[in-house]
């Protein structure tokens, strides 16, 4: 995350050490990553002054540009797989509360988060049961929201505000 420059380096961890693997196509910082070691998405990010809406998919050996999100975002968080996923939040402009759902072929705008933020984390199954927690600004937030496949609902917050959890 060097100031003023995006990076395209990717490394894989085998339980003992890191190995350099195929680079992403578009150098950037702050993108949402989620998936498995053989099926991963990198969504959004920025390389000053550009914020990206593009998405790259990892198949275990190479990165491929896939369908762009509707909104460019940096600091967003994602959860799911390359066939069913959700991405939410952003550090940029009007997109701080936006959420988008991936169905394997396209991104669809969903209901917004109740509290727009970035540098949060997500956990769940992406389609119908996901929680979005922590984040910033201002400071470190404790907010926790649950996604039921249709709307975000505020639920019990973290006991301590946290950010940059990913």
């Amino acid at each position: 995350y060097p100031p003023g420059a995006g990076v395209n380096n990717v490394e894989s961890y085998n339980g003992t050490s890191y190995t350099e693997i195929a680079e992403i196509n578009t150098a950037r910082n702050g993108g949402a990553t989620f998936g498995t070691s053989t099926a991963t998405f990198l969504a959004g990010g920025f390389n000053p002054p550009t914020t990206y809406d593009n998405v790259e998919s990892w198949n275990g050996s190479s990165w491929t540009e896939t369908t762009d999100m509707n909104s460019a975002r940096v600091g967003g968080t994602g959860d799911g797989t390359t066939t069913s996923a959700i991405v939410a939040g952003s550090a940029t402009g009007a997109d701080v509360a936006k959420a988008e759902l991936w169905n394997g072929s396209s991104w669809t705008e969903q209901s917004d988060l109740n509290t727009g933020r970035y540098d949060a984390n997500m956990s769940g199954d992406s389609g119908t049961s996901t929680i979005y927690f922590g984040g910033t600004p201002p400071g470190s937030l404790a907010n926790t929201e649950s996604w039921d496949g249709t709307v975000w609902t505020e639920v019990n917050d973290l006991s301590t505000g946290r950010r940059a959890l990913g």
Side-chain angles (χ1 to χ4, degrees):
Y1 198 3
V7 294
N8 65 348
N9 300 61
V10 180
E11 296 185 7
S12 177
Y13 185 68
N14 66 7
T16 305
S17 61
Y18 285 93
T19 303
E20 181 70 19
I21 58 175
E23 312 299 11
I24 58 175
N25 296 299
T26 303
R28 65 185 107 176
N29 298 313
T33 56
F34 48 93
T36 68
S37 62
T38 58
T40 299
F41 261 5
L42 168 61
F46 76 108
N47 189 356
T50 304
T51 300
Y52 295 104
D53 60 0
N54 68 332
V55 178
E56 294 190 39
S57 178
W58 172 254
N59 64 9
S61 61
S62 64
W63 292 94
T64 303
E65 175 74 23
T66 187
T67 307
D68 292 348
M69 295 180 293
N70 296 299
S71 298
R73 64 183 74 237
V74 61
T77 302
D79 185 48
T81 67
T82 56
T83 59
S84 175
I86 190 166
V87 173
S90 179
T92 55
D95 299 323
V96 296
K98 296 242 185 262
E100 297 187 42
L101 197 62
W102 172 252
N103 66 7
S105 62
S106 64
W107 293 95
T108 305
E109 288 281 337
Q110 300 299 304
S111 60
D112 291 353
L113 293 163
N114 293 296
T115 303
R117 56 199 189 270
Y118 63 96
D119 283 347
N121 207 341
M122 257 192 221
S123 182
D125 72 5
S126 75
T128 58
S129 179
T130 297
I131 61 170
Y132 185 91
F133 51 96
T136 193
S140 297
L141 300 176
N143 299 58
T144 302
E145 298 185 39
S146 176
W147 169 255
D148 68 2
T150 305
V151 297
W152 294 98
T153 304
E154 181 73 22
V155 294
N156 292 338
D157 289 343
L158 299 168
S159 58
T160 302
R162 302 181 189 284
R163 66 180 185 186
L165 298 165

